[in-house]
Amino acid sequence: MDTPQSPDMLLSLACIISDSVNTIHAACEETGLAFPKLEDAFDLHSEAFRPHEGVSEATKRIVAAAHQLIAAVLPPATAVYTIAASGSHKAACLRICLEENVAEILREAGPKGLHVSLISQRTNINPQKLARILRFMATLHIFKELSPDVFTNNRLSSAFDTGKPVDELLSNRAARFSGTNGFTALACLHLDDIFKGSAYLWETLSDPLTSESVDAKGSACSHGALGYETNIWEFMERPEQAHRLRRFGEAIRGVQAMEPTDAVLEACDWKALPEDSVVVDVGGGVGASVFPLAKYHPHLRLIVQDRQDVVEQAKEVWLSKDPAALGMGRVTLQGHDFFESQPVRNASVFLLKQVIHDWSDKDAVRILSGLREASQPTTKLVIIDCLINHACSMAQLGEHSSIPGAIPREAPLPLLANYGAANFMSYFHDITMLTRFNSQERTVAEFSSLLKMAGWRLVRVRRTDGADTFLQPLEAVPA
């Protein structure tokens, strides 16, 4: 898919987009699949074209080139002001639509849509104000305005439809995310706590008392938005914050839903592990990360560790999703604080999926050192987190260049080496970690240094380059 480079950047970007669109069209024709229409409702089957060879790379190039093209052609002041002025409004209006179940209301209305006056009757929003919000969203291609003040779902809006009846959502709000794919819970988490915290990010970073802090209590969410004087985990465990804790557990499944279903299967050579090898999912929440391992690698013994209250949630999930694995002892749910001594001493693999990014280097070293102390000489450590690439070329990484997978695939010129907005999720999560936990996503060099301090040695980065992949597995062994 190499595109000839033009001395004119605009023409080069246009060629990249055109060639990549042709690649996707060819893949759809070859497989007999139609490219999904924006006005149609979201359906998992409509994503079937994505695994075809070349589609993922084409998608990344289109997104990267389109955003770069917009940045290039808009007047600079307009480009920057659009970011400054619209970001908060987009988040606020989308939150209203999610919290008021607009996607579900429109789904029940059917393809002819619903007048905003009728939508308003099922929400707490004034119809004239709600119309303005929905029109703003429709201008961003979320929902569609069929005729004046008549709206319907489209591919984007229906993606966060929980699938539940509106009456059920209104009567049992506490369970609105239960049994869903978690995507709506994840969106609501970001649009509530994290969105509020981001408004205080400058104040937090510019305050000498919190700017140098590496404590979660010094985060923008804690210090500014929500005003708790503890870390986020202790805050969510308060009885009055039960809704936040439950939403967080469901949101983790949302992260899982946005990743390829077999992502964890590519994180390690699981088949090579002997029968009854013990895999410990440290800080594993309800165990969503290891569902595929339980299904495709029944020779493994899986231990999911998290706080005791999360373990109670996990029991419900496993009894619903895979009761046999729980009943036969192939999966064990274990209450454990990973800052305490690790009770499992015979692990073949310690797995940490989206755990280390929640913590500062100081605390991350404590977690990793505890696992090192409990490890055997043959124990592997698998970390799955966002991996931050520099926005410039990483062709030379010094001492880390020899680590397999350390140097990422880079985009062709004139695109940014890191594919720009096509890899936006990693950088978005990095700022989310800063805002919520006063922590971070890390580069290869930062991970290598962190692991070294804790007695581990980074030996491999198992990069996956899909357009929908933002989590990357790293493998380490005892140093």
Side-chain angles (χ1 to χ4, degrees):
M1 196 194 297
D2 291 331
T3 302
Q5 295 302 313
S6 164
D8 186 317
M9 183 185 69
L10 296 184
L11 288 177
S12 291
L13 293 172
C15 286
I16 288 173
I17 293 172
S18 178
D19 290 349
S20 299
V21 167
N22 288 336
T23 296
I24 294 176
H25 278 163
C28 289
E29 289 179 4
E30 185 175 327
T31 55
L33 300 169
F35 188 83
K37 297 178 181 179
L38 187 56
E39 59 266 27
D40 291 343
F42 174 75
D43 184 322
L44 282 176
H45 296 296
S46 67
E47 298 288 283
F49 71 96
R50 294 197 186 277
H52 191 275
E53 183 179 0
V55 168
S56 176
E57 177 67 15
T59 300
K60 290 172 66 175
R61 291 190 182 192
I62 290 170
V63 174
H67 279 80
Q68 191 166 330
L69 194 58
I70 292 169
V73 300
L74 280 177
T78 302
V80 176
Y81 183 72
T82 299
I83 296 172
S86 70
S88 58
H89 295 342
K90 290 175 183 176
C93 291
L94 181 56
R95 184 187 180 204
I96 289 168
C97 294
L98 296 185
E99 297 289 358
E100 297 295 337
N101 312 307
V102 173
E104 290 85 356
I105 292 170
L106 292 178
R107 183 239 304 149
E108 291 187 355
K112 292 184 179 180
L114 201 62
H115 192 277
V116 72
S117 62
L118 297 176
I119 302 172
S120 178
Q121 290 178 11
R122 309 214 69 184
T123 72
N124 298 312
I125 311 296
N126 171 277
Q128 193 265 348
K129 294 177 181 178
L130 183 59
R132 292 157 61 191
I133 288 166
L134 289 174
R135 191 167 298 114
F136 179 55
M137 288 284 94
T139 303
L140 298 171
H141 305 289
I142 302 173
F143 302 110
K144 182 176 182 180
E145 188 169 16
L146 293 174
S147 59
D149 293 330
V150 175
F151 295 88
T152 189
N153 278 324
N154 67 357
R155 182 170 169 78
L156 301 191
S157 65
S158 62
F160 48 77
D161 178 356
T162 61
K164 295 187 174 187
V166 176
D167 287 343
E168 179 183 334
L169 292 170
L170 295 174
S171 64
N172 189 7
R173 187 170 176 80
R176 61 189 294 229
F177 304 127
S178 299
T180 70
N181 60 17
F183 178 61
T184 309
L186 178 63
C188 286
L189 169 64
H190 278 274
L191 294 168
D192 183 9
D193 296 9
I194 298 168
F195 173 48
K196 293 173 181 175
S198 66
Y200 289 89
L201 189 56
W202 176 80
E203 285 82 356
T204 304
L205 296 181
S206 62
D207 185 341
L209 295 177
T210 51
S211 183
E212 298 298 326
S213 171
V214 295
D215 194 313
K217 289 184 288 187
S219 72
C221 277
S222 170
H223 183 65
L226 301 181
Y228 50 87
E229 295 300 324
T230 181
N231 67 50
I232 185 63
W233 310 112
E234 294 173 358
F235 174 69
M236 288 195 297
E237 286 170 353
R238 295 174 182 173
E240 68 273 17
Q241 301 300 332
H243 68 289
R244 280 192 161 92
L245 183 62
R246 190 171 190 90
R247 182 180 62 187
F248 181 83
E250 301 291 346
I252 296 301
R253 292 221 304 271
V255 176
Q256 187 89 2
M258 289 197 298
E259 275 283 288
T261 55
D262 60 350
V264 72
L265 301 178
E266 304 299 321
C268 183
D269 188 1
W270 305 109
K271 290 181 180 179
L273 297 177
E275 186 78 20
D276 288 331
S277 291
V278 175
V279 177
V280 185
D281 187 7
V282 182
V286 298
S289 300
V290 294
F291 287 153
L293 294 185
K295 179 178 180 180
Y296 294 106
H297 296 288
H299 71 291
L300 301 176
R301 289 176 52 212
L302 307 175
I303 300 176
V304 180
Q305 295 179 337
D306 213 298
R307 303 182 315 281
Q308 190 59 46
D309 56 336
V310 178
V311 168
E312 296 306 314
Q313 288 186 47
K315 288 178 182 177
E316 297 178 22
V317 173
W318 280 92
L319 286 173
S320 170
K321 192 171 183 70
D322 194 349
L326 206 59
M328 296 171 63
R330 290 193 293 110
V331 174
T332 301
L333 306 177
Q334 186 178 78
H336 174 60
D337 179 346
F338 47 50
F339 286 113
E340 302 296 332
S341 178
Q342 171 58 239
V344 180
R345 319 297 285 190
N346 63 334
S348 295
V349 177
F350 285 119
L351 172 66
L352 297 103
K353 183 172 183 287
Q354 291 188 287
V355 171
I356 296 303
H357 72 166
D358 289 342
W359 303 95
S360 67
D361 285 357
K362 177 186 70 173
D363 288 332
V365 168
R366 285 179 59 199
I367 296 168
L368 296 171
S369 296
L371 298 180
R372 176 65 182 87
E373 190 274 331
S375 68
Q376 303 294 318
T378 57
T379 300
K380 293 181 179 180
L381 175 71
V382 175
I383 297 174
I384 305 178
D385 265 333
C386 292
L387 195 56
I388 297 298
N389 298 332
H390 295 279
C392 60
S393 176
M394 293 174 61
Q396 298 299 322
L397 271 179
E399 62 180 296
H400 303 104
S401 297
S402 61
I403 299 174
I407 299 176
R409 179 177 184 171
E410 296 186 350
L413 292 172
L415 300 178
L416 292 174
N418 65 352
Y419 284 86
N423 280 337
F424 178 72
M425 289 293 287
S426 297
Y427 306 91
F428 167 80
H429 279 293
D430 186 31
I431 304 305
T432 295
M433 293 301 105
L434 175 62
T435 301
R436 187 168 171 81
F437 301 109
N438 208 9
S439 59
Q440 67 181 101
E441 307 290 357
R442 293 175 172 88
T443 65
V444 169
E446 288 169 336
F447 263 118
S448 181
S449 175
L450 197 69
L451 289 163
K452 185 176 181 180
M453 287 189 286
W456 297 93
R457 178 169 59 89
L458 179 63
V459 295
R460 182 185 300 272
V461 180
R462 294 179 180 268
R463 289 189 183 271
T464 49
D465 293 321
D468 54 353
T469 300
F470 53 92
L471 300 177
Q472 304 290 346
L474 300 95
E475 184 178 313
V477 296

